[in-house]
Amino acid sequence: MDVLLENITKSYKGRTVLDIPRLEFKRGKIYSILGPNGSGKTTLLRIIFNIEKADSGTVSFPGNSAKPVAGEMAFLLQMPYLFDLSVLDNVMLGICSSRRSFRKNDKRAGGAEIRGDAKMMALEALDRVGLKDFANARAVTLSGGEAQKVALARTFVSPRKLVLLDEPTASVDISSIKMIEDYIKEVNMKHKTTIILTTHNPFHARRIADEAIILWKGRVIERGKPDKILTSPEKEETKQFLENWEIRNR
Amino acid sequence: MNDLVKSFYEAWNLIFSFDPEIYGIILLTLKVTLLSSGIAALLGVPAGIIVGSRNFFGKGLIVRLVHTFMGLPPVVAGLVTYIFLSRKGPLGSLNLLFTPTAMVIAQMLIVFPIIMGLSISAVKLKYKVVEETCMGLGLSRVHTLRLLLHECRYPILSAVLAGYGRAIAEVGAVMLVGGNIQYHTRVITTAIMLETGKGNYDKALALGIVLITMSFIINAIMYRIQEEKRE
């Protein structure tokens, strides 16, 4: 799914959070939005997904014959919330079906057959993040990192045209980051899903993104191939941001 | 002291002798209380969820009014009900005054804001994150509300039980609109007042023991709910 932002502005109490004349995302690519804390990364995602309204400007989906329906997009929050259900039932919530139900014996879900398929899909997604053994555990008992993985499985369990991920590796341990990055790339390749993720880790962007976008005080100051931006940044602000990661010295 | 001990002894005997008047009072108390708190819950919980989960014009005023009425003096609720149901009142033709129905109405007026107010508080903490998570998954509005109710089930259940506990202990309002008529509108609390005034401490104590036991059961259930939530 293509996404086009035009003349997007957003302010909170007089402070400009976003000021983007034009920003485009192409179908089937992975974009990484990089920037320091408070640069507007999360707000940008929330406006794209329409969880928050911009003060002005438009978000459109060129090439999509109609306005995207809810099931075509997904958004993983920065601090994902798991419901007080089993881990499996949480993941099953992500399955796009008009007859989906989160109750075990709900006949209105279309019967055991649909629920059986959904269960298999959910178990596969859990297996992908290494948590299949936790399927029957109560989701609220998981650690922060485990919860993040379950939330990611829930986001990816069903094919989507557009997925927004807000700091998807924020709470996970280093050994799990590669697993999550591989999962993101796999979903992108398999379903041609447009994936837009935010991070303040340039290494993460370099490993998985087709394009990196640098956000600084609400403005896009640079964009391009991650390798190029991270090794040869053009803007002073980008250099300042990257200095903390000592990219240029590697 | 001997009289007190004797009264306790007589009270136990009354309870286990299955005195028809005593048990009639207990059953009417249960009926009126369950009806009033049940209807108040059916109205108050959805109202609390709607108000707690939406932003709309006038929300602040509604919440402040609800909180004010949570502390409504019960005798005022009884008075308002009495005026409405009296022969000269707008609903006088229904002939509901001095009936259990009038007592249910008066108790509902007291319990409804409590249940609604506590439901608003329960929902307020969770609705934003539940709503955004559900939006992020493309879930429908109905599904979102079901999940919100599921996530808030413990505090909402506590709210309903708190309402029930308030209703069962009510005396002023039910005395006004019920009239404490023997075998007709006499409940535990009004009977205790009457029997104490007559000096029948054994009967009053018997009813008091039953009332405390019923309150204890409610509190035990609420405690168990809180413990289950913590697990």
Side-chain angles (χ1 to χ4, degrees), chain A residues 1-227:
Chain A
M1 178 186 285
D2 291 352
V3 185
L4 175 62
L5 284 71
E6 290 177 296
N7 301 314
I8 295 288
T9 60
K10 180 76 178 176
S11 299
Y12 288 130
K13 294 180 182 173
R15 184 172 75 92
T16 301
V17 176
L18 280 179
D19 183 6
I20 299 175
R22 183 184 169 86
L23 185 59
E24 198 171 357
F25 302 93
K26 289 291 184 194
R27 177 179 177 264
K29 291 196 180 301
I30 301 177
Y31 294 87
S32 177
I33 301 178
L34 284 156
N37 292 336
S39 55
K41 305 188 294 295
T42 298
T43 307
L44 177 59
L45 289 195
R46 289 168 70 86
I47 285 174
I48 293 173
F49 204 83
N50 203 29
I51 288 179
E52 264 188 63
K53 297 262 185 266
D55 294 339
S56 66
T58 57
V59 178
S60 58
F61 303 90
N64 224 44
S65 56
K67 196 177 166 186
V69 296
E72 291 182 326
M73 310 196 297
F75 186 173
L76 177 65
L77 299 175
Q78 190 170 19
M79 293 177 66
Y81 180 82
L82 297 185
F83 296 97
D84 189 11
L85 302 165
S86 69
V87 167
L88 185 65
D89 280 340
N90 264 279
V91 176
M92 284 174 70
L93 286 174
I95 292 171
C96 293
S97 163
S98 59
R99 292 183 288 170
R100 172 186 60 229
S101 165
F102 74 90
R103 282 213 205 138
K104 281 188 180 160
N105 298 313
D106 193 333
K107 299 269 189 295
R108 289 170 300 168
E113 193 183 318
I114 287 186
R115 183 164 171 91
D117 288 342
K119 191 173 170 183
M120 262 182 55
M121 287 168 69
L123 283 169
E124 275 171 23
L126 275 174
D127 190 33
R128 192 62 192 80
V129 296
L131 290 176
K132 193 175 178 182
D133 292 341
F134 287 72
N136 295 321
R138 209 165 144 211
V140 293
T141 61
L142 300 184
S143 69
E146 288 165 344
Q148 181 120 30
K149 289 184 209 176
V150 171
L152 194 71
R154 186 174 64 185
T155 306
F156 282 150
V157 68
S158 195
R160 315 261 185 179
K161 288 184 180 177
L162 172 66
V163 171
L164 309 179
L165 306 170
D166 199 354
E167 308 265 5
T169 57
S171 309
V172 298
D173 54 74
I174 292 173
S175 60
S176 300
I177 289 178
K178 181 163 186 333
M179 184 251 297
I180 288 176
E181 289 173 354
D182 289 344
Y183 194 11
I184 293 172
K185 285 191 283 192
E186 188 183 301
V187 165
N188 166 253
M189 274 179 50
K190 195 172 165 187
H191 302 296
K192 294 284 175 270
T193 304
T194 306
I195 296 178
I196 307 171
L197 62 98
T198 64
T199 180
H200 49 260
N201 184 340
F203 295 111
H204 182 46
R206 184 157 71 176
R207 283 193 293 269
I208 64 170
D210 297 309
E211 190 170 333
I213 296 165
I214 311 295
L215 213 55
W216 185 271
K217 292 185 181 175
R219 292 184 172 85
V220 175
I221 56 171
E222 209 163 338
R223 66 180 296 178
K225 292 272 182 220
D227 257 333

Side-chain angles (χ1 to χ4, degrees), chain B residues 86-120:
Chain B
S86 65
R87 217 175 289 170
K88 289 183 184 175
L91 302 175
S93 57
L94 297 174
N95 293 318
L96 290 176
L97 199 56
F98 306 127
T99 65
T101 306
M103 295 156 72
V104 168
I105 293 171
Q107 278 191 344
M108 253 180 59
L109 284 180
I110 298 164
V111 169
F112 170 79
I114 293 173
I115 292 179
M116 183 176 171
L118 292 176
S119 296
I120 290 173

Side-chain angles (χ1 to χ4, degrees), chain A residues 46 49-51 70 73-75 77 81 83-85 93-94 100 102-103 106 108 138 154 160, chain B residues 126 128-130 132-140 143 146-148 150-151 153-154 228-229 231:
Chain A
R46 289 168 70 86
F49 204 83
N50 203 29
I51 288 179
M73 310 196 297
F75 186 173
L77 299 175
Y81 180 82
F83 296 97
D84 189 11
L85 302 165
L93 286 174
R100 172 186 60 229
F102 74 90
R103 282 213 205 138
D106 193 333
R108 289 170 300 168
R138 209 165 144 211
R154 186 174 64 185
R160 315 261 185 179
Chain B
K126 291 262 186 182
K128 194 163 188 295
V129 71
V130 168
E132 289 184 358
T133 301
C134 290
M135 275 182 77
L137 295 171
L139 299 181
S140 67
H143 205 153
R146 281 174 67 198
L147 281 167
L148 181 61
H150 175 78
E151 293 299 291
R153 64 195 186 283
Y154 292 125
E228 207 168 298
K229 186 184 170 192
E231 278 163 25

